[in-house]
Amino acid sequence: MKRRRTKAESSSAPGKKQKSRSGSKDVSPSKTSSSAPLTKEFRCSICLDVFTDPVSTPCGHNFCKTCLNKCWDNSQTCTCPYCKETFKHRPDLKINTTLRELVDHYKKKRCEEKPEVLCDVCDERKLKALKSCLVCQSSYCATHLDPHLRVAGLKKHKVMDPVSNLEDYICQKHERPLELFCRDDQRIVCLFCTDGDHINHNTVSLEETQLMVQDTQQMIQDRVKKIEEIKHSAEVRKRNTEKEKAACVELFTDLKRSIERFQTELLEMMEEQQKVVKKQEEELIKELEQEITELKMRNTELEQLSHTEDHLHLLQIYSSQCNPRKNGNWPEISMKNDESLEIQRTLIKLKDTLKEKLMQTGVSLVLKWMQQYAVDVTLDPDTANPNLILSDDGKQVRHGDIRQKLPDNPKRFDPYVNVLGKEAFSSGRFYFEVQVKGKRSWELGVARESINRKSVIPLCVSNGFWTVILRNGNEYIASADPPVCLRLRVKPQRVGVFVDYKKGLVSFNDVESNSPIYSFTAQSFIDKLYPYFSPHQNNGGKNSSPLIITPVNYNK
């Protein structure tokens, strides 16, 4: 039912102008009382004029596209002229279409406005109007505005900065101020319109509409900034990939050179060995031929003496012939000499060197591959044992001396001093790194969601824990069934944990030395998995260092 205007409303409009009732007029939101305060918002801080083709920087400030490009063309760095934030890469400037439309509406409205609005009540000399009343549809100077500041009924009127085109702010159908925005029809309406054509429509005040416009601008700026961040991240990832490719090529080139160098040295050594053996063979053959000649001569002499009776001389010659020079003491010509032993040692050395380099290369490449699945892990305070102290950013945990008074819940570990990460994983691959430097005791890994958190049970695979443990400063254990004692060449300072859910793999690696620690293979995961941490008790301050979830260094 249409609401009728009261007598008070009609009589409280001195000097009111008669308006046509040809129907409600579709008015842009820019033609509202909120447009005047936006003058500053629509001005470029470089040229100090209203925006032309406005663009938004990643830091959220607006400028004319031409002004900003000229500013950056004359500088070696790309810096926001307003807040001085520096961008590593020159942003790809796109015109902020929403802001441009608002600016166009503002320009159009400003062109339509007269430079000065005069008071409608002054009789002789018209004074400059201070305010316009949308209810009275008149503009007033300071003197004639006074009743609107004192009289209770008039104080409720909608007043605004003076404008000459008041009809644009009045509903032509109901002669009421246009003070609402209909979201359904995307037009400005008066209060009476909501009882008629716009009944049950979603309407908001023009002040709220202005806030929505500002929120939209902020959303646009946030998304522009996010796009720049994504592009920058893609460029960094591309550069890192190229560096890794170059490192791999250089590594395998060094291996190839090492193999070629060892091959050349080995061939030269074998060639030298062959020359030595050949010389020994020639010398031995010469000695043997000489002894054969001597033996033939003695044999001839023996044959001649055998026909005589000089038995004494015959016996002497026979005795000397039975003990020939070097008989049975010829050098053995074979590869079992000092040179061949040196060759064998060189071959073993080459094999061990290549094996070590290939293993280091393989582990390094595997670790880099794992690191690409790095996730941001944060500790869950709802699961932490009351004796554990977590950092504000949820990246560090240590054992405290005093048990905290915390609400008990099914998720919290007690009595074990454990804590889980907030993030759960039920598919794919994930990787995170934890600093264990300075600790004599700790436990790391993953645990399934359904683990028993309230009882004293063995922390092993059968109970849902896949972890590596340090005890007494140097005893490393994998929580397999049964537990496996680990022999590590160096003490890890930072441990990487990698999980391939589908393949049932949980792998632990020493990040600093690029060496494997232990891997659980062929596991069957049916539950959600959570990153698992236990700093163990501080042991009177001897184990007070925290476990720290560290960012993954892809350039290592």
Side-chain angles (χ1 to χ4, degrees):
M1 181 175 180
K2 183 175 179 181
R3 180 176 176 269
R4 299 182 60 185
R5 295 183 61 193
T6 66
K7 183 178 180 180
E9 290 175 335
S10 300
S11 62
S12 62
K16 180 175 179 179
K17 304 172 184 177
Q18 295 296 322
K19 303 295 176 182
S20 65
R21 298 172 181 250
S22 58
S24 62
K25 184 177 182 180
D26 191 0
V27 183
S28 167
S30 64
K31 296 181 178 181
T32 70
S33 61
S34 59
S35 62
L38 282 176
T39 303
K40 183 179 179 181
E41 313 293 341
F42 289 157
R43 292 189 182 276
C44 172
S45 61
I46 298 177
C47 65
L48 302 180
D49 201 353
V50 178
F51 289 127
T52 300
D53 292 336
V55 293
S56 301
T57 60
C59 57
H61 297 111
N62 302 313
F63 306 93
C64 296
K65 184 176 182 179
T66 302
C67 294
L68 189 57
N69 279 328
K70 286 183 179 179
C71 181
W72 286 348
D73 289 342
N74 298 327
S75 176
Q76 295 182 349
T77 59
C78 294
T79 303
C80 174
Y82 188 83
C83 69
K84 307 305 179 185
E85 180 176 343
T86 301
F87 313 113
K88 293 183 179 179
H89 302 279
R90 183 163 179 165
D92 184 16
L93 300 176
K94 302 293 184 183
I95 295 177
N96 187 332
T97 55
T98 300
L99 182 57
R100 182 173 63 181
E101 291 176 2
L102 291 172
V103 171
D104 290 343
H105 282 302
Y106 172 78
K107 288 180 178 179
K108 182 179 179 181
K109 173 181 165 298
R110 190 177 66 168
C111 291
E112 294 174 352
E113 290 179 344
K114 294 181 180 179
E116 188 174 82
V117 179
L118 301 179
C119 177
D120 292 327
V121 182
C122 292
D123 292 329
E124 297 179 356
R125 182 174 176 270
K126 296 284 187 178
L127 298 178
K128 182 178 179 181
L130 184 63
K131 292 289 183 179
S132 295
C133 176
L134 293 179
V135 177
C136 302
Q137 299 185 35
S138 298
S139 299
Y140 302 106
C141 64
T143 301
H144 293 107
L145 180 65
D146 184 66
H148 282 75
L149 303 178
R150 293 184 295 100
V151 180
L154 296 178
K155 288 172 70 175
K156 297 180 180 179
H157 287 193
K158 181 74 173 180
V159 295
M160 57 180 287
D161 289 336
V163 293
S164 59
N165 55 333
L166 271 170
E167 64 274 9
D168 289 338
Y169 299 86
I170 303 298
C171 175
Q172 299 302 305
K173 184 176 182 180
H174 302 110
E175 296 186 356
R176 297 289 297 173
L178 293 169
E179 51 188 344
L180 299 174
F181 181 74
C182 177
R183 288 182 173 179
D184 296 340
D185 295 337
Q186 292 291 300
R187 62 187 301 177
I188 299 176
V189 298
C190 73
L191 184 61
F192 283 7
C193 290
T194 60
D195 293 333
D197 296 339
H198 301 273
I199 190 170
N200 296 327
H201 284 194
N202 184 7
T203 59
V204 294
S205 67
L206 292 181
E207 288 77 7
E208 291 182 70
T209 304
Q210 182 57 39
L211 291 176
M212 289 165 53
V213 172
Q214 294 175 354
D215 290 343
T216 302
Q217 293 180 13
Q218 186 61 46
M219 290 171 64
I220 293 172
Q221 294 167 359
D222 291 343
R223 280 153 179 76
V224 169
K225 188 172 183 179
K226 187 63 177 179
I227 290 173
E228 293 297 328
E229 290 176 355
I230 294 173
K231 289 182 179 179
H232 177 66
S233 177
E235 292 178 1
V236 171
R237 185 171 62 254
K238 181 179 179 181
R239 289 198 300 269
N240 289 341
T241 301
E242 293 300 326
K243 288 181 181 179
E244 291 177 3
K245 288 181 180 179
C248 289
V249 171
E250 183 179 358
L251 184 60
F252 282 107
T253 301
D254 290 342
L255 283 173
K256 182 180 178 181
R257 289 173 181 170
S258 298
I259 293 173
E260 291 174 349
R261 184 175 67 254
F262 280 118
Q263 180 182 2
T264 301
E265 293 176 357
L266 180 60
L267 291 176
E268 291 176 353
M269 189 175 296
M270 293 178 68
E271 184 70 24
E272 186 66 28
Q273 174 66 18
Q274 183 66 23
K275 291 179 181 179
V276 172
V277 172
K278 183 177 180 180
K279 182 178 180 181
Q280 289 179 345
E281 290 174 344
E282 290 175 350
E283 290 178 353
L284 180 57
I285 290 172
K286 185 177 180 180
E287 289 184 10
L288 290 173
E289 288 177 344
Q290 183 177 354
E291 288 193 7
I292 289 173
T293 300
E294 292 178 358
L295 288 172
K296 285 182 178 180
M297 291 175 58
R298 292 181 184 181
N299 186 58
T300 301
E301 188 176 357
L302 284 173
E303 288 181 354
Q304 293 175 354
L305 290 175
S306 64
H307 300 289
T308 67
E309 293 182 358
D310 190 353
H311 299 291
L312 179 59
H313 189 195
L314 179 63
L315 182 61
Q316 290 175 347
I317 294 175
Y318 178 74
S319 298
S320 63
Q321 190 161 310
C322 290
N323 296 285
R325 181 171 60 86
K326 296 183 181 180
N327 185 26
N329 294 319
W330 300 313
E332 181 179 358
I333 307 300
S334 69
M335 294 299 290
K336 295 180 180 179
N337 48 40
D338 293 341
E339 288 78 4
S340 68
L341 290 176
E342 183 64 27
I343 292 175
Q344 291 178 17
R345 284 194 293 268
T346 302
L347 286 171
I348 294 172
K349 180 181 179 181
L350 174 61
K351 179 180 178 181
D352 292 342
T353 301
L354 291 177
K355 182 177 180 181
E356 183 178 355
K357 286 194 173 185
L358 288 172
M359 180 175 291
Q360 290 177 350
T361 303
V363 172
S364 178
L365 293 176
V366 169
L367 182 59
K368 287 181 179 293
W369 175 79
M370 291 178 178
Q371 287 178 332
Q372 69 177 320
Y373 296 100
V375 295
D376 185 15
V377 176
T378 306
L379 301 172
D380 184 359
D382 291 338
T383 66
N385 179 279
N387 285 98
L388 295 183
I389 299 176
L390 277 57
S391 62
D392 293 338
D393 61 358
K395 298 296 184 181
Q396 300 185 27
V397 57
R398 62 183 177 87
H399 184 273
D401 294 320
I402 301 176
R403 182 179 176 89
Q404 304 173 80
K405 293 182 179 180
L406 300 176
D408 191 19
N409 62 71
K411 296 171 58 177
R412 192 178 305 283
F413 283 100
D414 201 1
Y416 283 127
V417 287
N418 305 334
V419 62
L420 298 180
K422 288 183 179 180
E423 301 76 12
F425 302 90
S426 56
S427 62
R429 305 182 178 104
F430 64 94
Y431 174 88
F432 61 94
E433 293 180 358
V434 183
Q435 178 178 306
V436 296
K437 184 178 181 180
K439 295 194 66 61
R440 293 179 51 81
S441 178
W442 50 260
E443 186 170 3
L444 291 176
V446 293
R448 67 186 180 209
E449 185 177 33
S450 59
I451 52 176
N452 189 330
R453 311 184 189 196
K454 302 298 183 181
S455 302
V456 178
I457 59 173
L459 303 183
C460 56
V461 169
S462 59
N463 288 328
F465 298 86
W466 291 266
T467 64
V468 166
I469 308 163
L470 170 64
R471 294 175 181 169
N472 302 323
N474 58 7
E475 298 176 10
Y476 292 91
I477 302 169
S479 64
D481 294 318
V484 178
C485 293
L486 307 177
R487 297 180 180 272
L488 306 182
R489 292 186 302 173
V490 295
K491 185 174 182 178
Q493 303 298 307
R494 183 162 50 169
V495 178
V497 182
F498 173 78
V499 176
D500 188 325
Y501 194 96
K502 183 178 181 180
K503 293 185 177 180
L505 171 67
V506 182
S507 181
F508 298 83
N509 293 273
D510 183 344
V511 179
E512 300 293 338
S513 65
N514 279 342
S515 58
I517 296 176
Y518 186 80
S519 292
F520 296 91
T521 59
Q523 303 297 304
S524 179
F525 301 136
I526 57 176
D527 230 349
K528 291 181 180 179
L529 295 181
Y530 286 85
Y532 167 89
F533 310 85
S534 177
H536 286 183
Q537 298 185 358
N538 62 14
N539 193 18
K542 296 180 180 179
N543 190 43
S544 59
S545 298
L547 292 177
I548 305 175
I549 302 172
T550 58
V552 175
N553 184 3
Y554 298 94
N555 296 322
K556 185 170 176 60

